[in-house]
Each structure stands twice: as C-alpha cells, then as structure tokens.
Amino acid sequence: NLSDPELVRWEKPSFDPLYKRPSGLSPGGFRDPTTAWQGSDGVWRMLMGCADSIGTCEFKSQDFIHWSYAGSFHDSGDDMWECPDFFNVPGTTAYVLKASTAGKDWWSLGSYSENTNVSQSDSFQATSGEIKVSGNLFDHGTFYASKSFFDPKKSRQVIFGWANLHCPGTDWAGMQTFPRSVE
C-alpha cells in the first residue's frame, strides 16, 4: 500500500500472493526468494532457489502482483542453491550472483543480460568462475544463508548472514552475523 510507507496498516490482498512452484520441480527444492528488482524495460524480476540442477529460477512480473516462471536464470550443475542473491557491484557494470550450498556462501562475478520477453529468463554469465567450483567464498567460517541490500546513502551493498554455532545435540543453533560491506 503506497499510502502507508511506514507499514502501519496491513491489508490482506484479494489475490493469492504465493508463487507457484514450476511444474516438474521437486517439492522440497523451491524456496528463498531474492529481493525483486525492476529491469530497464520496467518488468520486475525475482530469483528463487531451485533444486533439480536448476540453481536459480527466475520469475517476472509486469505489475509486481502477478508473477510467472520465466525459466532457469543460472544452472547449479548438481546442487540445491539456497538463499540466492543477485546485485550490481556499485559503480560498475559487473554483477554478483550469490548462492548458499554445501554449508557455505559462494559468489560469482559476471555479466548480466536482460531478456525483454517476460516468458523467458534473463542470463548471467560468470567471469570469475562458477558457484562452488571457483572457491569464491564470502567467508571461510560458518557464514551461510546470507542476504544483502543496497545502502543508497553510502552507495554500497551490505550483506549479513547466519552463523551456525554447532551446539551439541542440535544442527540449527545459530545467530545473525554483523552486517558487512561487499567490496
């Protein structure tokens, strides 16, 4: 609701706001949407983690309400990619594709091309090596499931994630990390 920038009043939409899992995709392998971004053509885009060697599924929307599956944005090769993230490196034409898999947060630097056809995915071409193959890690500790946002005041991308504490008898105990600037 654009008349409520402080998000004080919440209204249930009259439509189903859930994204539909693409047909044929494993039920357990569809999660963790990115922050949506608007392309130069005015179309909204969003990525989701997808299994079955898809890596990242791309969805597009003309109105930010009705979304449709456009296809695979970038293939994973063999893993389920969780918590994908995608952003421009401020002040450059380079882009970062990030994914969480195999207990680590991996990144790849590359180029991005928009496809103006809303029923077809855009493309990302890695130039620094592929996710998980290149050795490009955001952190060499227990940093996982990160998300980022753009800080317009300082023109920087800020990332934060989850650190597993490896408490005895659990596999889930953890905490949020301190935010850090992506440089």
Side-chain angles (χ1 to χ4, degrees):
N1 182 350
L2 295 177
S3 67
D4 184 20
E6 302 288 323
L7 300 175
V8 175
R9 295 178 308 278
W10 290 82
E11 298 175 22
K12 184 177 181 178
S14 59
F15 57 91
D16 183 358
L18 299 178
Y19 309 106
K20 305 292 186 222
R21 179 174 43 93
S23 62
L25 190 65
S26 300
F30 179 66
R31 57 185 174 270
D32 308 328
T34 61
T35 301
W37 73 96
Q38 193 171 31
S40 60
D41 57 1
V43 173
W44 288 94
R45 291 145 163 88
M46 179 197 60
L47 304 179
M48 284 230 188
C50 290
D52 303 325
S53 301
I54 292 175
T56 48
C57 297
E58 184 176 10
F59 289 78
K60 292 184 179 181
S61 173
Q62 301 272 3
D63 59 8
F64 204 76
I65 294 172
H66 304 95
W67 293 84
S68 59
Y69 178 57
S72 174
F73 181 75
H74 196 73
D75 294 338
S76 67
D78 64 348
D79 289 329
M80 168 65 201
W81 283 2
E82 296 180 295
C83 300
D85 209 349
F86 182 70
F87 54 88
N88 174 250
V89 177
T92 74
T93 59
Y95 285 81
V96 172
L97 176 63
K98 192 256 358 154
S100 303
T101 189
K104 301 283 185 185
D105 255 30
W106 307 82
W107 61 269
S108 184
L109 191 66
S111 61
Y112 167 61
S113 298
E114 287 183 6
N115 186 334
T116 57
N117 185 331
V118 295
S119 64
Q120 295 178 353
S121 63
D122 299 335
S123 66
F124 172 80
Q125 296 298 318
T127 57
S128 68
E130 292 292 341
I131 299 282
K132 204 177 110 178
V133 176
S134 64
N136 296 334
L137 293 169
F138 273 106
D139 190 298
H140 291 273
T142 61
F143 187 73
Y144 194 73
S146 66
K147 285 301 197 181
S148 74
F149 64 91
F150 182 71
D151 173 6
K153 285 192 174 186
K154 294 191 177 181
S155 188
R156 64 183 178 173
Q157 197 75 20
V158 177
I159 192 167
F160 60 96
W162 175 68
N164 188 333
L165 299 178
H166 300 289
C167 294
T170 71
D171 63 355
W172 53 264
M175 64 182 178
Q176 287 293 112
T177 63
F178 284 107
R180 57 184 92 168
S181 180
V182 178
E183 297 179 15

